[in-house]
Amino acid sequence: GRVSGAFNFFERVEAHGGLFARLGGHAQAFGFSAEPGRLPEIRDRIAQSLEGYRESAERRGLHIDAKLPLESISAELVRELARFEPYGHMNEEPLFLTTGLRVGDSQRFGSGRVHGKFRFAGRPAVEAVGWNMGAVMQAAGAGPLDLVYRLELNEYNGVKSLRMLIVDMDVPG
C-alpha cells in the first residue's frame, strides 16, 4: 500500500498485525505477506479502521492550485495548462478542486470493474475518471461531492473529450 501526504496508512494497518505473516513499512507505504484465505478479512478490517476517517485535502498534503467551478473547465484551459509542461520535480502538474458536484451518470469499468467514471448533471461533456477508485466512486452516490483532480484532453478513437483525473474525493457531510 502507498499513500501521499500526512495520512499514516501504516499505523492503521499495523493495528491488525496479527492477521499478517509479515508486515513492514512506514507512514506512507507498507507491504505484507499473508495466507490467501485471510485476504478478505484483512481487506474488511482495514476498511473498518478507515471508516469515518476524513480530513481536508490540504491536511492530506495535497497542494490545490485553484478552485474551479465546473463551468470553467474547457479544452482551451487544458491547452493553456499544456504550455507549462513538462511537469516533474519543482514543476508539479496543477491540482484543482471543485466542490458540490452532482453526478448525473456513474459507471465502473475495466478488468474487474476497478475503475470509475462520473459524468455530471448539467455538464455531461466533462467526465471524471478515478483509476482504481470504482468502488469508492460507486459508494459516493449522486453527491454532492468535492473532487481534487488533474485535467487532460483525452483522445480515444479520434474523439477528444475533457477529463478530470481524480486524485482525491470527499463526500461532504
Side-chain angles (χ1 to χ4, degrees):
R2 182 172 297 279
V3 297
S4 61
F7 179 68
N8 188 339
F9 199 4
F10 183 67
E11 179 180 81
R12 302 285 175 138
V13 174
E14 192 175 33
H16 306 288
L19 298 172
F20 305 100
R22 287 185 26 218
L23 174 66
H26 53 81
Q28 277 72 46
F30 69 92
F32 69 88
S33 57
E35 295 296 321
R38 300 215 72 178
L39 292 178
E41 181 183 6
I42 290 169
R43 181 194 62 230
D44 293 346
R45 295 276 289 285
I46 291 172
Q48 286 172 356
S49 73
L50 295 174
E51 280 180 17
Y53 179 80
R54 299 175 56 170
E55 62 180 344
S56 71
E58 289 81 9
R59 280 197 52 211
R60 284 191 293 270
L62 297 175
H63 174 79
I64 308 300
D65 292 284
K67 186 175 179 181
L68 284 180
L70 192 58
E71 305 78 42
S72 296
I73 298 172
S74 67
E76 181 180 342
L77 173 61
V78 176
R79 284 191 289 275
E80 284 295 314
L81 291 170
R83 295 174 61 191
F84 296 100
E85 293 176 354
Y87 298 118
H89 183 64
M90 301 301 289
N91 188 35
E92 303 299 323
E93 188 171 3
L95 288 180
F96 300 98
L97 169 67
T98 301
T99 59
L101 290 164
R102 297 277 179 192
V103 176
D105 178 44
S106 176
Q107 67 184 76
R108 292 175 70 170
F109 67 96
S111 177
R113 299 172 34 91
V114 297
H115 310 303
K117 185 186 299 186
F118 288 147
R119 285 201 174 82
F120 302 101
R123 192 83 201 275
V126 178
E127 66 182 22
V129 173
W131 302 115
N132 297 308
M133 295 179 76
V136 172
M137 292 171 74
Q138 183 177 19
L145 315 167
D146 298 345
L147 294 182
V148 176
Y149 55 91
R150 293 180 172 84
L151 286 171
E152 76 170 8
L153 199 52
N154 183 51
E155 186 169 348
Y156 182 72
N157 286 338
V159 177
K160 290 185 179 180
S161 61
L162 288 169
R163 193 155 78 171
M164 303 159 82
L165 300 176
I166 301 171
V167 172
D168 195 18
M169 64 182 283
D170 191 21
V171 180

